[in-house]
Amino acid sequence: MVAVYPGSFDPITCGHLDIIERASRIFDEVVILCAVNPSKTSMFSLEEKQRLITEAAGHLPNVRVDHFTGLLVDYMHANGFRVAIKGLRVISDFEYELQMALMNKRLAEDIETFFMMSGSEHLFLSSSLVKELAGFDTPLDALVPPCVVGPLLEKINSKR
Ligand code: COA
């Protein structure tokens, strides 16, 4: 079975990668979907995000990257996919994710949301927090995949 892992991935973090690696051991194929969260402004372009994800997940043969602008359920239907993976970090994620899962269920009865708990070492992580820390010369090694560090620092420095 194919599972779709949607997100903004601005940029991909070690928390995302942990979910992707674990999901790739459960599902035949995992499609990482760069989707649009209308309430967010991106630091990285779509092409940059996809390139970083492809490189970070390059060691996983059954993982590929795609992108879509629009409703997740429309993407799922257009491609014949039925499972969407969402990662849960903290209790506060649950309310929002439950709301999205129920709305997606209402929009498309045949699509299931598959929740995975984030690894305990990533419970505090978010893309925004990583971008904030990158501006303060904090080591980023444990927070983002190695291929993300350089491009992230470049973005931060170009804005100074
Ligand atoms: N480890 C570490 N961080 C994680 C994580 C994990 N396992 N899982 C999520 N995060 C972080 C993300 O980096 C993100 O950080 P940010 O807010 O600083 O950017 C935050 O947690 C929230 O993640 P998520 O809830 O997955 O939001 P998102 O913005 O990454 O993705 C979409 C949301 C794109 C999946 C959602 O808006 C969507 O489906 N859009 C398509 C339109 C649609 O169908 N809308 C109707 C929905 S009912």
Side-chain angles (χ1 to χ4, degrees), residues 5-11 13-19 33-40 68 70-74 86-89 93 96-97 99-104 107 116-119 122-129 131:
Y5 181 40
S8 301
F9 302 112
D10 187 49
T13 68
C14 291
H16 294 128
L17 195 55
D18 169 57
I19 297 273
L33 184 68
C34 279
V36 176
N37 183 336
S39 64
K40 290 183 182 172
F68 187 69
L71 287 179
L72 175 65
V73 292
D74 289 342
K86 296 307 298 279
L88 289 177
R89 293 166 303 165
D93 275 352
Y96 174 67
E97 293 298 347
Q99 189 183 12
M100 286 226 286
L102 291 176
M103 181 54 81
N104 280 330
L107 294 169
M116 293 181 68
M117 297 306 298
S118 290
H122 303 121
L123 287 177
F124 58 92
L125 205 51
S126 75
S127 299
S128 305
L129 208 51
K131 285 180 277 193

Side-chain angles (χ1 to χ4, degrees), residues 13-159:
T13 68
C14 291
H16 294 128
L17 195 55
D18 169 57
I19 297 273
I20 294 163
E21 284 171 346
R22 286 158 52 208
S24 74
R25 296 197 285 270
I26 299 169
F27 294 97
D28 298 317
E29 187 181 16
V30 177
V31 178
I32 308 171
L33 184 68
C34 279
V36 176
N37 183 336
S39 64
K40 290 183 182 172
T41 312
S42 273
M43 171 181 271
F44 290 89
S45 70
L46 179 60
E47 291 71 26
E48 290 169 330
K49 289 196 251 185
Q50 289 196 106
R51 187 171 47 75
L52 293 177
I53 297 170
T54 304
E55 200 172 335
H59 58 297
L60 302 168
N62 61 337
V63 171
R64 66 181 171 90
V65 187
D66 200 358
H67 64 93
F68 187 69
T69 306
L71 287 179
L72 175 65
V73 292
D74 289 342
Y75 172 84
M76 305 283 288
H77 279 161
N79 291 280
F81 300 144
R82 295 192 44 217
V83 177
I85 299 172
K86 296 307 298 279
L88 289 177
R89 293 166 303 165
V90 285
I91 293 170
S92 54
D93 275 352
F94 181 77
E95 202 176 322
Y96 174 67
E97 293 298 347
L98 178 67
Q99 189 183 12
M100 286 226 286
L102 291 176
M103 181 54 81
N104 280 330
K105 196 78 186 155
R106 191 187 161 103
L107 294 169
E109 180 67 30
D110 56 329
I111 289 169
E112 291 295 337
T113 304
F114 185 94
F115 288 110
M116 293 181 68
M117 297 306 298
S118 290
S120 55
E121 65 277 37
H122 303 121
L123 287 177
F124 58 92
L125 205 51
S126 75
S127 299
S128 305
L129 208 51
V130 164
K131 285 180 277 193
E132 187 179 333
L133 290 174
F136 294 96
D137 292 334
T138 313
L140 300 171
D141 319 35
L143 308 181
V144 292
C147 63
V148 175
V149 177
L152 179 54
L153 293 177
E154 264 174 46
K155 286 277 179 201
I156 298 288
N157 290 330
S158 71
K159 286 188 191 309

